[in-house]
Amino acid sequence: MRHIVVIGIGSGNPEHMTVQAINALNRADIVLIPQKGEEKAELASLRRAICARYLTNPRTRLVPFDLPVRDAARADYREGVDDWHAAIAATYRTLLAAHLAEDGTAALLVWGDPSLYDSTLRIIERLRAGADFAVDHTVIPGIASLQALAASFRMPLNTIGGAVYVTTGRRLAREGFPDNADTALVMLDGDMSFRHLAGDDFDIFWGAYLGMADETVISGRLADVAETIAATRAGLRGRNGWIMDIYLLRRR
């Protein structure tokens, strides 16, 4: 049976790697390195840097591959994501058949923690259901971006006895700030949906490239810093060609 180990590698700092993650990496026969085009070449480079720093098993091989790209123009978002995941699962199947023995182990290095707003585990389930060979998998947890954000601002995520709501920009724009929480962590928000909220009612703690050399953080009353965040985000994305960011909103 072929085995996949899904390793959470944190939000960009190689020192986010846990001892458990390093040990799992060194048990792998191959490490799959996704490539996402020139704009996101830095993400593949960071994965390679992690391997160069922690990989001591001389038998482990790095296997780069082109990751299928989601068609963002599809009108039906869920249908588009479903087709994208199917394409990635098919790619994994081809790679495992070509590069891994029947009793071998492949490692996938996943940003943050594999359980939080990452589709790798769902894609592997799709792979297991459709492959013509047996596959199982294990998961090594990692430091998530929301943890890195809290550490950068030296703050707890929750107020005393308060609820924390984790959501996406798409849902924040559609549903607004939740009534039953005083803190919301917002991920995957390319449209900066915080600009639609009443700026005097919230504080915002925003961070981009957390854990990386380009880490940038801004905080303050939403009304005061919303446009600064928007301009900063646009500038960073224009310079680097990609951006990963997250923010926390808290009722004032």
Side-chain angles (χ1 to χ4, degrees):
M1 178 181 290
R2 291 173 172 87
H3 186 79
I4 300 173
V5 57
V6 184
I7 302 174
I9 61 173
S11 63
N13 185 339
E15 294 186 0
H16 286 178
M17 287 283 286
T18 64
V19 174
Q20 185 185 25
I22 294 169
N23 289 339
L25 178 66
N26 280 284
R27 289 194 298 269
D29 298 292
I30 62 173
V31 181
L32 300 180
I33 305 291
Q35 302 175 144
K36 300 183 180 182
E38 290 300 320
E39 287 186 346
K40 295 187 178 180
E42 185 178 359
L43 301 182
S45 296
L46 282 168
R47 285 185 170 93
R48 291 180 182 275
I50 286 171
C51 291
R53 182 167 181 170
Y54 296 115
L55 192 55
T56 58
N57 184 347
R59 294 185 298 276
T60 303
R61 295 175 290 117
L62 305 189
V63 178
F65 68 98
D66 292 328
L67 188 72
V69 177
R70 180 173 67 87
D71 182 3
R74 291 279 292 273
D76 189 317
Y77 172 77
R78 292 297 296 270
E79 185 178 275
V81 169
D82 189 63
D83 288 346
W84 178 43
H85 288 177
I88 297 174
T91 299
Y92 287 167
R93 187 255 172 236
T94 300
L95 290 167
L96 296 182
H99 297 283
L100 194 64
E102 289 187 7
D103 61 348
T105 296
L108 283 168
L109 306 182
V110 174
W111 293 110
D113 182 90
S115 70
L116 184 64
Y117 285 101
D118 183 88
S119 294
T120 301
L121 299 181
R122 279 184 285 269
I123 292 167
I124 289 175
E125 289 295 344
R126 183 187 292 263
L127 165 68
R128 294 181 63 190
D132 53 359
F133 50 81
V135 183
D136 69 352
H137 66 293
T138 56
V139 179
I140 309 298
I143 294 174
S145 59
L146 54 85
Q147 295 169 284
L149 181 75
S152 290
F153 282 109
R154 298 167 294 176
M155 64 183 294
L157 291 177
N158 62 293
T159 57
I160 296 175
V164 177
Y165 183 77
V166 183
T167 189
T168 64
R170 182 186 297 267
R171 294 188 70 92
L172 182 70
R174 185 171 67 240
E175 301 170 2
F177 195 92
D179 294 329
N180 60 345
D182 52 17
T183 301
L185 283 152
V186 185
M187 310 179 75
L188 305 175
D189 189 7
D191 293 328
M192 294 174 285
S193 301
F194 56 80
R195 292 184 293 180
H196 303 302
L197 299 176
D200 290 330
D201 294 345
F202 301 96
D203 289 322
I204 186 169
F205 301 83
W206 174 85
Y209 309 111
L210 294 167
M212 302 181 191
D214 282 344
E215 178 174 309
T216 304
V217 295
I218 299 172
S219 64
R221 188 176 65 162
L222 181 57
D224 297 335
V225 300
E227 293 309 314
T228 299
I229 292 172
T232 301
R233 187 183 191 280
L236 290 169
R237 180 163 189 164
R239 185 179 74 196
N240 295 324
W242 61 277
I243 192 166
M244 289 194 294
D245 61 332
I246 182 176
Y247 58 89
L248 180 149
L249 292 167
R250 179 160 289 157
R251 292 187 192 276
R252 292 177 62 85

